[in-house]
Amino acid sequence: MRPDRRKFIHDTICAALGGAGLYSALGNLQLLQAAVRANYSFPDYKALICVFLYGGNDSFNTVVPYNTTAFNSFYGTNGVRPALALTQSQMNNTVLNAPASGTGSPGDGNTYALNPAMAPQPITGTTNVSADFTTTFNAGNAAIVANVGTLVAPVTQSEYQNGNPALPPQLYSHADQEAYWQASPPTNQPVTGWGGRIADLVAGANNSNAPVITGLNGQDAFMRGQVVNGYIMNANSASTINLLQGNSGPLTCAAAANAYDSGAAEAFCNLMSSGTQANVLERTFAGTMNHSIATANLINTAINGAPAFTAANQFPAALSTGYDLDVQLQTVAQLIWAANQGNTGITRQIFFVTTGGYDTHGDELATHGAPGNPGVLSLLSRSLAGFYNALNSVGLASKATAFTCSDFGRTMTSNNGGTDHGWGSHQFVVGGAVQGKKFYGNGCSFTADTNYGVVMPSLTNPTQLPNVYNASPNLNDSGDGIGRIIPTTSVDQYAATLAQWFGLSASDIGLIFPNLSNFSNPANYLGFMG
Amino acid sequence: MRNFLRVSMRRSLSLTVLWSAGAVFAASASAQSLSHFPDPVFHDGFNGLNAVGTANISATDAARFLAQTTFGPTDADISTLRTLGYQAWLNQQFAATPTYETTDLPGKTNSAYLNWVANVLKEQLGQNNRQEAWFLGALGGPDPQHPTQNSYNHTDQLRQRVAFALSEILVISDQNATLSGYPQGMAWMYDLLVKDAFGNYRTLLDDVTLSPAMGVYLNMMGNQRVNSAMNIHPDENYAREINQLFSIGLVMLNLDGTPQLSGGNPIPTYTQSTITNFAHVFTGWNWSDCDANGNDNFQGCGPDQGGTGNPPYGVNFLTPMVAYDQTNAVMIAQCNGQPQPCTVPSYHDNGTNLPDDIQNKQLLSYPSAASGGLLGPGGTAASDLKFALDNIYNHPNVGPFIAKQLIMRLVTSNPSPAYVARVATVFNANRSSATQLQAVVQAILLDPEARYGQWQNSSTFGKLREPLLTVTHFWRAMHAVHSCGANIAAAGTPGSNNYSPPTSYANQPYRYAGYSTAWSTGQTTTYSVGVTQAAQDALTVFNFFKPSFMPPGEMTTDRLLGPEFQIQTDSVIASSDNTYASYAYNFDTSDTCDEIPTDRGFDPFGDVKINHAQDLALAGSGKGGLSDPSDRLIAAYNARFMSGQMSPYMYAQLKSYLDTIDSSWANGSQDWRLQRIYRALYLILSAPEYQIQK
């Protein structure tokens, strides 16, 4: 319990604002002031979990056409992707039962399925099969947001080709598009992420020293606020300073005298002590170490007291590769459980879990996986479904919403074995509060403007090569004629919908996402959270 | 990872519990008011770049120079440098015989470590062996094949340090699923970085571009021109990253490395169209053994010639990629409904086969670009590649882009623009020189800012030590050797599934192996153990950390770069510290070996260890305590580890604690002074003042 926590944050910000000229170095002044003003308090607990798929997931090989006409026009001779064809019958177990037409439908009258790698997988050594995302979706606990991407404002094909529209800088570059997805936009220096900016505003609502934003596999811009700085732990624990453990547990510098080697512990802590480093890099190193020491014990205690969530449809040990997405989400489920035991003072938390392997320039089909040969999509399917099932088993499913993000989508065309960096892509949202079993996004029967896309745009206008570069591209979804799909829904809309569910006011959301107002037609918010 | 933490914890806890009663904290109140800056007492002045001799180069200045130029100073190196002077020492380094991982020296078959392991010891090469080869170069010293002959010693520290820096710019990684199976192929590319470390950057770009490991990693291997019927397009991965990461970056730079601005905004160096055009140039290259049938259609080739060999070592990884664009091939697979056989062009886009080819390829356009960067039709894959790499290399960004990153890897995270400009000028003045990078490296190291910066900008100068370089520093400074390990004979029939190759680690002090030590550095994917860094083991092409990373907090507010902080996260900083602790307290050469000499499943690899007792005489001469103080030990470690830059505050902290240690801390028959040595090492390796190389 920290009754002075909000005051502390307030004072920190005001101290920063008081420094002459400092506000410009700190970034967005309005946001800082909003963080000072923020007086959020919540009667309930909610968690947002960003699942970042590094490398740029080929969501056009993740959500795939299933009905025969669509299947053939996509994978067949003279189709869009003959060189990376799936087999239709393999997807009989992954068909998505979204509405066939109207709101929540894919918007083009076709039926879609998930990549067959996302079907339930046998669990080694048992007769059980793993959790799978198709089941979660069809049970109404997950949604698909179609063709989301980084946008400053809506862009049509003709604007992209002929005009001079405002575009996110360095489209198709990993580092820049990762940064844009996580910061949206990354133009304010220093870059802050939207997870961090949300955390800035809700931090005062927590009466706890538990981190308001926690990463489980390294740090990135998403976690970076103007005031709040996230805590980065391991996939399943927080590392403590082994050698200087105390009689009552891990080292804390307040109780260094209790360490087994108290003299060493006191010397160690004195060298780390705030204010004893003359060089700014030394202070930064010591600050990280002190942050680590102060938080690790809290995290480990929470995990150690929580259920393991190892049921067959959750995270059985056989699923684990050790430190990947499944273990990270299992740990997040444990931390959410712990935050909901009694009056912990924790009402809002954000988690950042990540995985890699999605930059499929080659060997894409094998990398994504297949029935019997699990790949990255298999892991994603099991992990998201397992996470929902774990929280559902303890009655907390509606308190947590997990959502995927990735650098970019990939090209509709291939290089024979894989695909290249694209733009728009489909994302998954999972949780008990999600209005599931539906497709969302501008253009998924939300708008009459068909230029704003449907789930698989190239189906309605298959890429007609050969003359790719010297003739006018004839795709209505692609800027350059090789299937870099122009997003029809912006990251800002996607994120704002989540922020709204999290309880932020519309005006604060507008400060967090300064370009959101460019998407007011048809709507700033996408509706997948009700 | 065999219970590494558990074992080391058990050891350390049992010891520390034993002595806890004797450990009394005795920080003096006066220590709180001592300076936190490096103590000038330990710094007797920098006497100029041409200084020679121990009278003119202090031990601490020598140590500081060596921290920037080697994998960690040793007392012997410090002595040599002081005798020779900076320039002569550099000249000696430039001339030192390169240490290669898998490239034999002329006329010396199997002189390279991996070749010896594979061909003489007949072991099956794994990534662990590649790490051993890397440590042999990084730690230097005797060669395992000639452990007692000094003439075979590995002394090319500066070349190795620069090659390692280059490996963090021109990145490949064993995290790649294909490369993970081919350690020798990765080593072959690392050897190119070693070879070219003092050479010409254009040559380096050529070597790296055509190395099969890079071809696999960034997909230029087998890249093909447009096949419209199959909706296939050239892959842009290499085209993008060679520009973005290996040469010019995303925005136009001034000579001093700052971005050029137009209307307040940075100016992009290229557009998506530029990348697409480069991708079309980078087509037609593949393994060296393709197309024995005479058609240039990428048939019948791969890492191994003819697919023979068990295990497959990937011999074709050891030959540059080859262009296949000469035969107007018959390519059945591409006929796509046309009567067979049909005639189609090769896989290289040379601009003549319209409409799929790009007739005139607009590459980078800048004022001095040859032909305005426009590549016309009719070339060969090789001539088109040459045009493209020349186009990249001659871009004015390359000098500042590479200069700044090399400065950041060797000297400081936040060089002044003037420093970058001075080094970039040397880069540009030596554009056609075969020793361009040698001149650049010398300019970096002998620059006044490298030599005086810690006094000029004492509150911002320096860089966080990369955790792997902390490990090498510790091992070099403390003369680590490999010990224990087992020799287990081969079993089964070579070439069959039941074959188990031999292991040969017993009595091999210079094979730097070990699950608990050398290889545990590379736990990039687990985070809870080790230091999360090993050579060519980054998670992505963006290296372990991005050059543009600003740590949160004060450094972000001040707009200061700190790339290495990106991997020192809240948890990793603790697990790295635990790793240093286990090296400081444990892994002593006098430890009893725990291998089972006949059980290949039970860690037959041994570990890297130090002889802690080497510093007993420094640690005390009597019974310890205040009457036998720890000053000599602290002073020696201050020079060896911290280039004499320990602040009076830190000195007092160490002394007040270490002086409490006395003969009552003896653990059985062990000398009590070891306890001072363990703790001095651990506290120094943990200290912020050590962790920032200044």
Side-chain angles (χ1 to χ4, degrees):
Chain A
M1 175 64 183
R2 277 295 161 100
D4 59 341
R5 184 176 174 82
R6 180 175 293 137
K7 180 174 184 309
F8 168 77
I9 291 168
H10 178 275
D11 291 349
T12 303
I13 297 165
C14 290
L17 289 175
L22 256 184
Y23 70 89
S24 60
L26 282 164
N28 187 319
L29 181 59
Q30 277 188 303
L31 255 176
L32 268 178
Q33 291 168 333
V36 175
R37 270 200 322 272
N39 200 26
Y40 288 104
S41 74
F42 304 105
D44 58 351
Y45 176 90
K46 285 182 179 177
L48 282 172
I49 300 95
C50 177
V51 179
F52 206 94
L53 314 177
Y54 282 115
N57 180 32
D58 185 4
S59 61
F60 304 117
N61 192 52
T62 305
V63 182
V64 294
Y66 178 69
N67 56 304
T68 301
T69 307
F71 183 90
N72 287 339
S73 67
F74 195 68
Y75 293 120
T77 306
N78 293 322
V80 179
R81 269 200 184 172
L84 279 180
L86 297 174
T87 305
Q88 189 181 13
S89 62
Q90 284 188 327
M91 296 179 288
N92 293 344
N93 293 329
T94 56
V95 178
L96 299 170
N97 297 330
S101 62
T103 301
S105 77
D108 59 3
N110 291 313
T111 305
Y112 287 85
L114 295 175
N115 185 296
M118 301 179 78
Q121 303 276 345
I123 298 172
T124 309
T126 76
T127 55
N128 295 319
V129 294
S130 68
D132 73 287
F133 188 72
T134 311
T135 300
T136 309
F137 181 93
N138 286 336
N141 298 312
I144 293 172
V145 182
N147 199 21
V148 198
T150 59
L151 287 171
V152 176
V155 175
T156 65
Q157 183 195 34
S158 63
E159 283 171 342
Y160 179 85
Q161 289 167 345
N162 307 321
N164 188 22
L167 295 175
Q170 302 299 343
L171 286 171
Y172 323 127
S173 152
H174 285 293
D176 297 271
Q177 294 305 300
E178 284 166 10
Y180 202 107
W181 257 99
Q182 296 183 23
S184 198
T187 48
N188 284 333
Q189 288 289 350
V191 172
T192 59
W194 51 271
R197 297 200 297 268
I198 293 173
D200 282 342
L201 294 176
V202 301
N206 285 357
N207 270 329
S208 166
N209 280 335
V212 65
I213 184 162
T214 306
L216 287 90
N217 193 27
Q219 62 175 306
D220 214 334
F222 178 81
M223 298 179 60
R224 197 74 79 79
Q226 295 191 97
V227 183
V228 168
N229 182 32
Y231 175 78
I232 296 111
M233 56 181 287
N234 306 320
N236 57 3
S237 68
S239 292
T240 55
I241 302 295
N242 288 346
L243 199 78
L244 304 175
Q245 304 276 321
N247 295 316
S248 54
L251 170 73
T252 63
C253 283
N258 294 336
Y260 290 120
D261 189 343
S262 57
E266 302 236 21
F268 179 97
C269 288
N270 285 343
L271 294 175
M272 298 299 163
S273 176
S274 174
T276 67
Q277 299 85 29
N279 178 294
V280 64
L281 285 86
E282 294 169 9
R283 280 197 294 281
T284 302
F285 180 87
T288 307
M289 183 69 89
N290 291 331
H291 192 230
S292 170
I293 291 170
T295 316
N297 202 13
L298 202 65
I299 297 279
N300 288 332
T301 304
I303 293 171
N304 293 338
F309 295 124
T310 50
N313 74 342
Q314 298 170 13
F315 299 100
L319 290 183
S320 174
T321 57
Y323 301 91
D324 213 328
L325 197 54
D326 53 346
V327 176
Q328 295 174 47
L329 282 171
Q330 183 179 17
T331 305
V332 171
Q334 293 178 308
L335 292 172
I336 290 173
W337 180 89
N340 283 280
Q341 302 311 303
N343 184 16
T344 60
I346 308 171
T347 58
R348 287 295 182 272
Q349 284 189 293
I350 301 173
F351 297 94
F352 185 61
V353 300
T354 70
T355 183
Y358 284 90
D359 192 19
T360 47
H361 289 271
D363 271 337
E364 175 166 317
L365 296 182
T367 304
H368 272 187
N373 289 301
V376 293
L377 291 182
S378 315
L379 180 68
L380 178 65
S381 172
R382 300 155 142 193
S383 301
L384 292 177
F387 178 68
Y388 175 83
N389 294 338
L391 287 182
N392 193 44
S393 73
V394 291
L396 295 172
S398 65
K399 292 179 180 292
T401 303
F403 56 96
T404 60
C405 301
S406 193
D407 312 16
F408 34 60
R410 304 189 76 84
T411 55
M412 284 290 185
T413 61
S414 82
N415 60 27
N416 209 1
T419 52
D420 223 312
H421 304 180
W423 194 357
S425 62
H426 311 321
Q427 304 299 341
F428 298 139
V429 188
V430 188
V434 175
Q435 303 296 301
K437 204 177 168 182
K438 288 178 178 156
F439 288 84
Y440 291 89
N442 306 335
C444 298
S445 14
F446 274 75
T447 169
D449 188 348
T450 52
N451 272 338
Y452 282 48
V454 289
V455 172
M456 197 66 89
S458 291
L459 284 184
T460 46
N461 283 304
T463 335
Q464 289 299 321
L465 303 171
N467 201 337
V468 199
Y469 294 101
N470 299 333
S472 292
N474 60 359
L475 288 169
N476 75 351
D477 50 24
S478 166
D480 58 5
I482 69 168
R484 297 181 207 276
I485 305 302
I486 298 173
T488 51
T489 301
S490 78
V491 172
D492 293 334
Q493 291 174 287
Y494 183 56
T497 307
L498 295 162
Q500 187 185 45
W501 172 75
F502 213 47
L504 295 188
S505 70
S507 61
D508 282 346
I509 291 172
L511 288 174
I512 293 173
F513 303 103
N515 291 330
L516 180 66
S517 58
N518 297 339
F519 300 91
S520 55
N521 181 22
N524 288 340
Y525 303 103
L526 298 175
F528 57 80
M529 298 308 296
Chain B
M1 277 313 302
R2 179 178 300 282
N3 296 327
F4 159 58
L5 285 173
R6 184 179 61 75
V7 170
S8 59
M9 275 305 303
R10 190 176 61 216
R11 288 176 188 165
S12 59
L13 284 183
S14 64
L15 300 182
T16 50
V17 168
L18 191 62
W19 307 308
S20 60
V24 177
F25 180 66
S28 69
S30 64
Q32 301 299 328
S33 59
L34 293 170
S35 170
H36 303 291
F37 281 105
D39 190 346
V41 166
F42 288 92
H43 177 88
D44 46 4
F46 181 67
N47 289 321
L49 303 178
N50 298 318
V52 175
T54 53
N56 295 314
I57 301 178
S58 71
T60 53
D61 280 337
R64 184 170 173 274
F65 187 77
L66 292 164
Q68 297 169 346
T69 54
T70 71
F71 285 89
T74 65
D75 291 346
D77 286 345
I78 291 171
S79 171
T80 303
L81 173 61
R82 296 177 73 188
T83 306
L84 289 175
Y86 297 104
Q87 185 64 64
W89 186 88
L90 286 175
N91 292 345
Q92 196 177 67
Q93 285 293 302
F94 294 144
T97 304
T99 299
Y100 292 120
E101 294 182 353
T102 195
T103 306
D104 288 334
L105 296 170
K108 295 183 178 176
T109 304
N110 295 328
S111 62
Y113 180 83
L114 290 181
N115 298 359
W116 173 61
V117 172
N119 301 330
V120 179
L121 301 181
K122 306 289 185 188
E123 294 182 16
Q124 181 175 333
L125 290 184
Q127 295 293 350
N128 54 325
N129 299 110
R130 186 176 62 77
Q131 295 302 340
E132 292 161 18
W134 183 85
F135 276 112
L136 181 60
L139 299 181
D143 186 87
Q145 296 190 59
H146 310 279
T148 60
Q149 293 171 267
N150 289 347
S151 61
Y152 287 89
N153 281 8
H154 299 273
T155 61
D156 57 330
Q157 279 286 300
L158 179 58
R159 182 185 290 274
Q160 293 295 321
R161 181 77 192 263
V162 173
F164 181 62
L166 291 170
S167 80
E168 298 188 291
I169 299 170
L170 303 134
V171 173
I172 61 170
S173 173
D174 58 12
Q175 304 281 345
N176 175 280
T178 304
L179 294 185
S180 66
Y182 295 99
Q184 210 170 2
M186 294 183 61
W188 193 79
M189 196 194 112
Y190 199 87
D191 286 350
L192 296 174
L193 305 180
V194 172
K195 171 178 83 72
D196 294 335
F198 299 144
N200 183 281
Y201 200 75
R202 173 66 180 81
T203 306
L204 179 57
L205 282 178
D206 214 40
D207 286 343
V208 167
T209 298
L210 293 181
S211 74
M214 183 59 84
V216 166
Y217 192 59
L218 292 181
N219 311 91
M220 182 168 148
M221 176 81 76
N223 201 20
Q224 62 184 74
R225 65 192 289 278
V226 169
N227 173 348
S228 44
M230 296 292 286
N231 213 351
I232 288 169
H233 288 263
D235 189 87
E236 296 176 352
N237 211 13
Y238 192 66
R240 185 178 307 281
E241 306 307 2
I242 190 179
N243 281 289
Q244 179 173 341
L245 299 177
F246 301 171
S247 60
I248 65 170
L250 291 170
V251 298
M252 294 298 295
L253 300 175
N254 296 307
L255 185 68
D256 65 8
T258 58
Q260 297 179 16
L261 298 178
S262 171
N265 294 314
I267 306 162
T269 42
Y270 52 78
T271 67
Q272 172 53 33
S273 166
T274 320
I275 298 303
T276 299
N277 280 267
F278 270 109
H280 280 241
V281 175
F282 296 149
T283 51
W285 297 84
N286 213 322
W287 299 104
S288 56
D289 66 334
C290 294
D291 299 339
N293 59 9
N295 296 324
D296 279 3
N297 58 1
F298 291 172
Q299 295 300 302
C301 47
D304 288 286
Q305 263 162 344
T308 59
N310 183 20
Y313 286 133
V315 66
N316 291 330
F317 267 107
L318 314 186
T319 308
M321 293 194 292
V322 167
Y324 296 91
D325 64 344
Q326 294 306 302
T327 309
N328 198 15
V330 178
M331 302 168 74
I332 305 296
Q334 289 206 354
C335 289
N336 289 314
Q338 298 178 49
Q340 294 186 1
C342 62
T343 303
V344 294
S346 80
Y347 281 142
H348 175 62
D349 174 345
N350 75 342
T352 60
N353 294 290
L354 304 180
D356 284 355
D357 281 6
I358 299 178
Q359 187 170 22
N360 292 296
K361 301 181 182 70
Q362 179 62 58
L363 306 182
L364 297 171
S365 177
Y366 48 92
S368 61
S371 311
L374 194 66
L375 171 62
T380 63
S383 71
D384 288 353
L385 181 69
K386 180 179 185 306
F387 183 95
L389 295 185
D390 284 343
N391 176 256
I392 292 172
Y393 176 67
N394 290 323
H395 191 286
N397 265 29
V398 181
F401 187 82
I402 297 300
K404 183 171 182 183
Q405 288 197 61
L406 287 176
I407 292 170
M408 291 172 74
R409 295 281 68 75
L410 300 178
V411 177
T412 182
S413 295
N414 293 281
S416 71
Y419 183 11
V420 175
R422 289 191 290 272
V423 177
T425 300
V426 172
F427 185 100
N428 289 337
N430 288 275
R431 278 187 167 273
S432 52
S433 164
T435 56
Q436 178 190 31
L437 291 175
Q438 175 178 315
V440 166
V441 167
Q442 172 158 325
I444 289 171
L445 296 170
L446 297 184
D447 191 274
E449 189 161 323
R451 304 274 46 86
Y452 302 114
Q454 82 279 24
W455 302 110
Q456 296 166 331
N457 308 301
S458 55
S459 58
T460 58
F461 188 84
K463 64 191 287 286
L464 176 61
R465 290 178 200 269
E466 296 178 48
L468 182 59
L469 299 190
T470 297
V471 173
T472 62
H473 185 181
F474 175 77
W475 281 345
R476 275 176 55 79
M478 298 302 288
H479 311 292
V481 291
H482 173 268
S483 74
C484 301
N487 292 339
I488 301 176
T493 311
S496 75
N497 288 337
N498 70 359
Y499 180 66
S500 293
T503 67
S504 326
Y505 286 94
N507 304 313
Q508 290 285 351
Y510 309 113
R511 292 195 71 185
Y512 298 102
Y515 279 127
S516 299
T517 51
W519 309 332
S520 84
T521 56
Q523 300 293 332
T524 355
T525 52
T526 63
Y527 278 132
S528 57
V529 288
V531 299
T532 71
Q533 198 185 19
Q536 293 180 315
D537 182 45
L539 286 173
T540 73
V541 72
F542 294 97
N543 192 27
F544 306 99
F545 39 76
K546 295 173 187 169
S548 59
F549 183 80
M550 285 181 194
E554 191 181 5
M555 287 181 70
T556 291
T557 305
D558 294 346
R559 316 299 311 282
L560 291 170
L561 301 173
E564 295 83 0
F565 283 98
Q566 193 172 6
I567 48 173
Q568 288 290 22
T569 60
D570 295 299
S571 248
V572 171
I573 201 170
S575 54
S576 295
D577 190 76
N578 291 336
T579 307
Y580 308 146
S582 65
Y583 293 173
Y585 280 73
N586 303 318
F587 297 112
D588 192 276
T589 47
S590 67
D591 291 348
T592 305
C593 295
D594 58 1
E595 288 79 10
I596 299 171
T598 54
D599 184 354
R600 71 177 66 247
F602 190 86
D603 187 14
F605 302 102
D607 282 306
V608 183
K609 302 177 179 183
I610 68 166
N611 172 20
H612 294 82
Q614 66 190 290
D615 291 328
L616 282 178
L618 292 169
S621 54
K623 291 188 175 303
L626 287 169
S627 62
D628 182 15
S630 54
D631 297 78
R632 288 184 65 213
L633 184 67
I634 300 173
Y637 284 179
N638 183 16
R640 201 184 290 172
F641 289 101
M642 297 180 61
S643 309
Q645 292 175 306
M646 188 182 290
S647 73
Y649 170 79
M650 180 174 168
Y651 189 99
Q653 286 294 327
L654 293 185
K655 177 174 165 55
S656 67
Y657 167 58
L658 295 174
D659 281 355
T660 64
I661 297 171
D662 60 24
S663 56
S664 70
W665 288 49
N667 176 31
S669 60
Q670 275 195 339
D671 194 305
W672 69 270
R673 292 172 294 181
L674 289 170
Q675 307 306 330
R676 270 193 182 162
I677 292 169
Y678 298 152
R679 286 161 174 77
L681 288 171
Y682 172 58
L683 289 172
I684 286 174
L685 293 178
S686 302
E689 289 187 28
Y690 167 77
Q691 282 292 327
I692 307 305
Q693 173 193 307
K694 295 185 291 290

